[in-house]
Amino acid sequence: MDDPKDLVDEAKALRAQGQHDEALAICDEVLRQFGGERTVAIRVQVVRALLTKAVTLTDQGRFEEALSLLDQITEQPEESLAPELQVLVAWALVNKADVLGQLERHAEALALCDQVVQLFDDSGEEVLRAPVTGALLYKARTLAAQERFEDAYAFYEELILLADGSDEPSLREALGWGLLGRAASLWMMKRASEALVGYSDLVERFGDAPEPELRGVVAQALENKKDLEQELEEASEKLEELEAYIDDPDGANALERQKRTALALLDKARLLTSLGHRQEALSTLDEVVQVYAEAPQLELRLRAATALLESGLLLESPADPEAALSSYDELVQRFGIAREEELRAQVAQGLLRKSAFLSRLNRPEEELAVLDELLRWYGGASDGKVGTEVLNALLRLGRVLAGQQELEAALEAYESVVLRTLDSKRDAQKEGFAIEALTLASIALLREAKYLWSEDPEQALTLLERAQEKVEDLLERHEVSATWLWSAGYIAFLLGKHEEARARLREALQRDGEELRQAALKELGIPPIPEDAEFRALALSV
């Protein structure tokens, strides 16, 4: 009889080399030979095989199959779990969070990370600290990807405290990534001097590390540190020049000097921000508002509007959200009824930025209210800078509504974008809006059809036909894209048109090759339906 540990180790090695089918075959063999064994040593290897198989299926985008295996691991009776099995259960929960994240079920994924921390954080077993740090790292990275840098920073801090001082390889690796993430978060939070200290700390700790993974982390830290130091050096030099200029601006007359001073003050605030001097930057922006907001000249009032917009951006923080929201509100109050298109465009940008910030704060009703306000004020604009911001608002409105399962309302927003850009073929920017709207509409229709696939097949087919119309519109109106061809092939397959599907996939692969196939198959299971397995087989045969 084979040694199950050797078999699982071989499967893991094959997966690391990208030989997924071979890895799955070995995992299945372990489960076939040893699945009924009850001794702890053998059960550990069986669970390792389940976990390796689940991770491999995740690599292939077979998310529902992966989730089923992960649930098998995590739903074992607690009293039967030896310490060796507890750590595998913890890793299964972390991997389940990853799968849910790839299915865009982010709230569930983050809740699972919290569960791992809650269950195992107080364990005295060092081996259980590794999956806890894995959960913290996943959560921090997810929050950073959502631009919630302050929240991400807090979890990086927690990870570092947990992993610091250990010689266990997985904890050393987690510590390296935690230090890198913390420094990057500080950089994004405009705390440049602290970020530099963070990068230096990482290099000092792991500069001589023998592990390849840690050497890669150190290399990234050194590169980031070099870029940040260069950015700060250039900012300091420019700041000195600007301060001298502001003290003695040139210009043919007083008005020209005012215009140049206002612009220089904005540049000064940006440089102060990049140097980490947040409060000085805010004071400088406030100076621009106080001096120029009531100026009769449009160019000076534009500088004040820009200052309010940039103050809002700088003040955005979950810890004190009202400060940023107040800045955006002041922008609207001062310039919302302005006649000049340039000022109206600034106000529209402020409302868009406010809606995005409310999204980060998880205040969806207020977010929708702000987008509605923007469209009430400026929805009649079809051209120019204001018209562009209206198109941005409609796209954002569609995304928000689609995320709230308000499909028809989302489609109405996307359709409004398309109708506003019907004569845009000579306008590349407007054409881009039309492409994005049609793409988002087809995705929303396809996903809703898959959600309804089992419970309401007739409605699902109707939605598929509507999705097909959107994709065909893209293919007819715009330069053909391999991604659209692939989507058309998938929809044709679900509609029972298998030969058409094969032809579309073949044409897509002729354009973009194997890279497209692998990427598309990985996203196939969002959300999953039984027919996906048959489509996967077809796609791999083309």
Side-chain angles (χ1 to χ4, degrees), residues 81-210:
L81 292 183
E84 302 95 317
L85 288 168
Q86 284 186 347
V87 68
L88 294 173
V89 169
W91 277 119
L93 288 168
V94 174
N95 281 280
K96 184 176 179 180
D98 177 52
V99 175
L100 291 170
Q102 294 196 56
L103 288 168
E104 299 183 9
R105 293 159 60 180
H106 299 296
E108 294 174 71
L110 295 177
L112 267 184
C113 292
D114 291 339
Q115 183 182 346
V116 173
V117 175
Q118 184 177 10
L119 287 173
F120 303 109
D121 194 20
D122 294 331
S123 172
E125 300 287 338
E126 185 173 58
V127 70
L128 281 168
R129 286 160 58 192
V132 173
T133 58
L136 291 169
L137 183 60
Y138 179 85
K139 185 162 188 176
R141 285 174 167 172
T142 300
L143 293 167
Q146 297 172 353
E147 297 186 4
R148 295 168 59 183
F149 298 113
E150 291 188 5
D151 294 333
Y153 173 83
F155 286 102
Y156 282 126
E157 283 275 84
E158 190 174 346
L159 184 162
I160 290 165
L161 286 172
L162 188 63
D164 202 5
S166 174
D167 293 326
E168 204 278 321
S170 61
L171 288 173
R172 280 170 53 82
E173 182 182 315
L175 178 60
W177 285 114
L179 290 167
L180 184 67
R182 180 177 68 175
S185 295
L186 286 166
W187 190 354
M188 292 299 101
M189 291 159 63
K190 308 301 182 185
R191 292 162 60 177
S193 58
E194 294 172 80
L196 283 177
V197 172
Y199 288 129
S200 297
D201 181 27
L202 194 161
V203 173
E204 183 178 343
R205 287 171 182 255
F206 295 116
D208 298 323

Side-chain angles (χ1 to χ4, degrees), residues 377-396:
W377 282 58
Y378 304 125
S382 57
D383 296 309
K385 294 179 179 178
V386 178
T388 296
E389 300 308 332
V390 169
L391 293 174
N392 278 319
L394 286 166
L395 286 176
R396 182 166 189 84

